[in-house]
Amino acid sequence: MRAACAELAALDDAGFGVRLLAATPTHETRDEGLLRRWAETATAFGAELAAGTAPGGPAGEPPTTSGAPAVSGAPAVSGAPAASGAPAGPGAVGHATATTAAARAVPHGVRVTETTGGLGRLLLARYVSRPVPTVELFTDTLDLGESLVDLLGWRHWYPAGSLRAAALAHEEAHCLLHGDARVRRALRGRLDHSALRIGRFRVPGHVAGAGELAAHAYAGAACGLGRTPLLLTAALLSAARALGED
């Protein structure tokens, strides 16, 4: 498992985006160069959205949403502060950054609950709209993720408590992407994919998986992670498989 995760860490973050898109239905025959462009574009958009430099970002005016209210007030993240002496690296942050990110990462009026049962589906969190808008955090997956980060020596990329914060931020990003038409249009325009073109008339197309990449990038930027959350997701898959074999 260590060797498999080391190979994963050797991939660049854009490579994870290409892998996600390539595994998404409708992209099976797409050129890898096109998938990389879309992955880089969606990732950049998600980071800009977190920084408030894209339409609907939290630093700007709160979005007007349907069923996905603007962001405010979240509980502090769980977990102890990052251990002293952790190696410095790009994006390395302290516990305070993760806490600040979590404090903005729960949509207003949306409940946050903690439950188990995420390992079987490799879910850190999910958003359900009925009967009450709720973000469910899967503590078993979060706990495994924290243990895995320590085991692999990735704490400088994923500070203590940042997995919970990133899971919340990821769901916030989906609320923005699904609930604010400005955000959806901006991402679609940036991807520049045509579903239909007749002469000079063009119908913009939807790029399946791009929203998921943008949400991962949003979470990574909002929580100051040193590497994409997709790397940790892939490592969790390897760990879950290893545990299943045992």
Side-chain angles (χ1 to χ4, degrees):
M1 187 188 72
R2 286 177 183 270
C5 290
E7 291 180 5
L8 289 172
L11 293 174
D12 66 356
D13 286 358
F16 283 102
V18 173
R19 283 169 49 137
L20 185 149
L21 291 180
T24 302
T26 73
H27 297 322
E28 297 89 348
T29 60
R30 305 278 192 198
D31 177 73
E32 183 176 341
L34 176 61
L35 295 182
R36 179 168 285 269
R37 180 177 70 79
W38 280 345
E40 291 173 347
T41 299
T43 297
F45 183 87
E48 291 170 19
L49 191 63
T53 56
E61 290 298 317
T64 301
T65 63
S66 174
V71 173
S72 69
V77 298
S78 59
S84 60
V93 296
H95 181 67
T97 302
T99 304
T100 300
R104 78 180 201 190
V106 177
H108 178 68
V110 175
R111 293 192 311 168
V112 176
T113 64
E114 295 187 354
T115 186
T116 57
L119 276 179
R121 293 169 288 174
L122 274 185
L123 286 176
L124 291 169
R126 71 173 178 177
Y127 173 79
V128 293
S129 59
R130 296 177 181 177
V132 177
T134 302
V135 171
E136 296 178 335
L137 293 172
F138 295 96
T139 55
D140 51 349
T141 318
L142 289 170
D143 289 344
L144 177 61
E146 292 286 355
S147 298
L148 188 60
V149 167
D150 285 331
L151 178 68
L152 298 174
W154 290 357
R155 189 55 72 188
H156 57 298
W157 288 336
Y158 304 102
S162 63
L163 302 191
R164 187 180 193 276
L168 291 170
H170 186 99
E171 299 309 317
E172 178 198 22
H174 279 303
C175 285
L176 291 170
L177 288 162
H178 294 163
D180 192 323
R182 295 175 301 163
V183 180
R184 291 196 305 275
R185 285 196 299 267
L187 176 58
R188 185 175 299 177
R190 192 82 64 86
L191 291 166
D192 194 29
H193 172 51
S194 297
L196 178 66
R197 188 185 293 273
I198 303 176
R200 63 188 181 87
F201 295 101
R202 170 180 171 273
V203 178
H206 170 71
V207 176
E212 187 68 13
L213 284 179
H216 277 295
Y218 182 100
C223 299
L225 304 184
R227 291 294 305 270
T228 174
L230 283 169
L231 168 58
L232 186 56
T233 301
L236 275 167
L237 177 59
S238 293
R241 285 173 176 167
L243 290 171
E245 292 171 359
D246 292 341

